[in-house]
Amino acid sequence: MNPEHLVAHFKKLFSTLSGKQLVGLGAIFLAVVGIVVASAYWISTPQYTLLVADMDAETASAVVTKLKDAKVDYHLGDGGRTVSVPVERADELRLQFASGGLPSAGRIGFEIFDRTAFGTTEFLEHVNYRRALEGELARTISTLSEVASARVHIAMAKDSLFINQSEAAKASVVLRLKNNRPLPPGTVHGIAGLVAGSVESLRPESVVILDTYGRPLTKPADDGEAEASGLQLDHQQQLERDLTNRVVALLEPVVGVGRVRVNVAAYLKPDQVEETEELWDPTSVVRSRQTSAETSAVAGATGGVAGARANQPAPLSTSAAPAAGSTATGPATPAAPASAPAAAAVSLPTGPGRTSETTNYEVSRTTRHTVSPRGQLARLSVAVILDDERTTTTPAGGTPQATTKAWDQAGIQRIHGLVAAAVGLNAERGDQLTVENIAFDVPQDAPIAAPPSMGQQMTDALKQQWPMALRGLAILMIAVFALFGVLRPLARRAAALTTTPALPSPAAAAARLPTVQEMEGQIDAELDAAAAAHSRRLPVLTQRVAKLANEEPEQLARIVRGWISEGRK
C-alpha cells in the first residue's frame, strides 16, 4: 500500500472524529502498546535466585566486585547482606566462588603465609600466626549447620621464669546463630573443645562463647550437677533403647516380625551414695591362753610334824662316798641295788603350791565401706504386648489358610521367663514385668493406585508450569484484544470513510501511460467511428478531456508535458 495513500486515509479518518474521541483513541492505543511492551519485558526478564546470604560488609563487597568483573547481573537485598543472580548462572557462580575461597566472611587464614615478606620481625610473625589461627578457627566453626558466622579472638600464653607470673592461654568466640535458634549444649562443648585443641596450652574452661546478643553459651564450672543430670538422662534413654531392642530381637523369631511391642522404663539413682557399715559377732573366740603353777619343797615326808627337826636338812648318804681315810685304787664299783631306795629317799619332796591360768578372748568385727555412684539402676519396669498367635491350616485339597488364636497361659509364662532373663529382672529390687496378649489392629491393604491418566498428567504439568502458562496466556489475550478490539475497528472505519480510489503508484502509472502517437491514433479512430455524428465530435472530445482532467489530473499533466517536450524537439 502506498504510504502517501495510507496517510491520506488516516487524515480523513481523524477529520471525522472529535477532539475527545481522538484523545480517547490515543489513550487506548498507548495503553495497549504499554501493556504489550511491559508483558514482553516481564517475560524476557530473567528469574533471580539466592547466591550468597548472611554476609558482612567485607564479604559482600568482594562478591559484588567479582560479579561486576564477570559482567553478571545481580540484585542486592536484606541491606546488602544477600546477593541474587539469574537462575541459569547460579550453579556456575557458586562453583567459581568456591574455587576462589568466597565467601570467606572477611577472615584471613593461613594463606597469609603464601606471600613471603622480607624483613619481617619475630613479633610480626607471631601476630600473623595468631591472625591466621583465628581466621581458620572462625571458618571451621562457620561450617556448622547451626552457626551463620563466627569470630574468634585468642590471647596466647605467656611464659615466665617465675611460675606465679606465667599467663595461660585464653580465647573468646562470638557466634551469629541461624534464625536465632538456641545452640545445643553438646555443640557448645564441641566448639570449646575444638578451640582448646587448636591452641597450645589452652584449656576448654578458658574458652568463653557468646552469641551476637551477648548471651553466654558456656556454663560456669558449678553447673556440673546439671551437666551430670543431662548425662544421666542420656544414659537412661540409651539403657531403655538397648533393653527394648534386646527383647524385640529375642521375641520376633518366636511371635513374628512386627507382632510384638516392648516398652522399658528404667529408673536410675539420681544421687551418689556412700555408706560405712560395722558388724560385731557376739560369738567369743579364744585368742590366747596362759597357765602358771607354783610349788614349795620341804624336808622329810610330805605332811610331817612342824618343828625344828622338820626344818633340818636330810642326812647325807654314806654309800655315795668312801669312808674317811680310805683311798680308791680301782675303778668305781657300782652301787648295790639296795642303795636305790636310799637315793630316792634323799630326793626333795614336793610340798603345797599355787596354779593360775589366764585366757584372752576376741570379739570379731567386720567393717564395710560402700560407695555407689549416681546413675545406678534402681528399678526396672518392662511391658510386653503380644499379638494373637497365628497358625496356618491346610484343608484337604484346599489352599493354606491363616488363622489366629489367643496365646495360652503356658505360652505367656514361657515368654515371661524369657523376657525376665533377657533384661535381668530382680524381684528384690522391685522390678516389674508385665506380658499381655492383645490382638493387634491389622490395617486393611491399601488398593494399588492406578497409573495417572493423561488428563492427570497434564494437570500436574500445568501445576508445575502454571507461572509461565499464565504469562503466555496474558500476552495472548492482550495481543488478541489489541488486534480485534483496537486495530481491526480502526481499519474498518478507515475503509468505510474512504470514497476515492487508491492512487496508482508512479511505477504503475508510468507502465500504463500511452504515448502521443497512441493517443493520436485513438483519437483518429474515435473520430472515424463518429463520422456520422460529426456535429457532436467537439463536445464529446471536450467532455472526455474534462473527465480525464478531473479523474486523472496527474496523467493529463504528463500528457501535456509530453506534448510540450515533443514540440520543443
Side-chain angles (χ1 to χ4, degrees), residues 255-514:
V255 301
V257 178
R259 298 173 58 192
V260 60
R261 297 293 183 269
V262 180
N263 187 11
V264 177
Y267 301 93
L268 305 182
K269 295 180 180 179
D271 300 328
Q272 181 179 353
V273 178
E274 183 176 355
E275 59 182 6
T276 302
E277 182 182 7
E278 292 187 359
L279 299 177
W280 299 82
D281 191 357
T283 304
S284 301
V285 178
V286 178
R287 185 180 65 178
S288 62
R289 178 176 295 173
Q290 182 180 3
T291 304
S292 61
E294 296 181 0
T295 58
S296 59
V298 296
T302 302
V305 180
R309 186 176 181 182
N311 294 331
Q312 293 179 357
L316 297 177
S317 178
T318 57
S319 61
S326 63
T327 303
T329 59
T333 56
S339 62
V346 300
S347 62
L348 297 176
T350 303
R354 184 179 57 181
T355 303
S356 63
E357 182 179 353
T358 302
T359 304
N360 294 324
Y361 295 92
E362 185 70 27
V363 179
S364 62
R365 184 184 64 173
T366 303
T367 303
R368 182 182 297 110
H369 184 74
T370 305
V371 177
S372 299
R374 68 180 66 193
Q376 296 294 319
L377 183 60
R379 191 171 66 257
L380 194 65
S381 298
V382 182
V384 180
I385 300 178
L386 300 176
D387 192 8
D388 287 344
E389 187 177 5
R390 296 186 181 183
T391 58
T392 303
T393 59
T394 305
T399 58
Q401 296 180 357
T403 59
T404 60
K405 66 175 183 178
W407 284 80
D408 54 2
Q409 191 64 27
I412 293 180
Q413 289 297 329
R414 291 196 300 269
I415 297 296
H416 189 283
L418 290 175
V419 175
V423 300
L425 197 70
N426 188 358
E428 297 179 356
R429 191 173 53 194
D431 297 349
Q432 297 179 357
L433 173 59
T434 304
V435 180
E436 295 291 342
N437 174 214
I438 302 176
F440 287 3
D441 185 12
V442 180
Q444 299 294 332
D445 295 336
I448 300 176
S453 60
M454 184 62 66
Q456 184 66 26
Q457 294 179 2
M458 293 180 63
T459 303
D460 296 340
L462 183 60
K463 289 180 179 179
Q464 296 177 359
Q465 304 294 334
W466 70 268
M468 296 300 298
L470 182 61
R471 292 184 180 183
L473 182 60
I475 296 301
L476 180 61
M477 293 179 63
I478 292 173
V480 170
F481 173 75
L483 179 61
F484 295 98
V486 180
L487 299 180
R488 188 175 180 180
L490 289 177
R492 286 181 178 180
R493 190 166 184 178
L497 293 176
T498 302
T499 57
T500 58
L503 296 176
S505 60
R512 63 185 181 88
L513 183 64

Side-chain angles (χ1 to χ4, degrees), residues 7 11 18 36 49 51 83 95 120 130 142 150 167 177 214 295 302 342 354 381 419 465 473 482 500:
V7 171
K11 287 182 178 179
S18 63
V36 172
T49 185
L51 178 64
V83 177
L95 294 177
T120 303
R130 188 183 65 183
S142 300
E167 296 182 6
L177 305 178
T295 58
T302 302
R354 184 179 57 181
S381 298
V419 175
Q465 304 294 334
L473 182 60
T500 58

Side-chain angles (χ1 to χ4, degrees), residues 488-554:
R488 188 175 180 180
L490 289 177
R492 286 181 178 180
R493 190 166 184 178
L497 293 176
T498 302
T499 57
T500 58
L503 296 176
S505 60
R512 63 185 181 88
L513 183 64
T515 61
V516 177
Q517 291 81 4
E518 292 176 353
M519 291 294 294
E520 290 178 353
Q522 183 179 3
I523 293 174
D524 292 340
E526 292 178 356
L527 291 176
D528 294 339
H534 180 69
S535 57
R536 297 177 58 186
R537 182 176 59 182
L538 184 59
V540 170
L541 291 176
T542 304
Q543 185 179 0
R544 299 186 68 173
V545 171
K547 183 179 179 181
L548 180 63
N550 291 332
E551 294 180 355
E552 298 181 358
E554 296 180 358

Side-chain angles (χ1 to χ4, degrees), residues 242-262:
D242 293 343
L243 293 178
T244 301
N245 296 334
R246 185 184 304 176
V247 175
V248 171
L250 177 66
L251 297 182
E252 278 189 345
V254 179
V255 301
V257 178
R259 298 173 58 192
V260 60
R261 297 293 183 269
V262 180

Side-chain angles (χ1 to χ4, degrees), residues 33 124 149 253 263 391 422 567:
V33 172
L124 291 179
S149 62
N263 187 11
T391 58

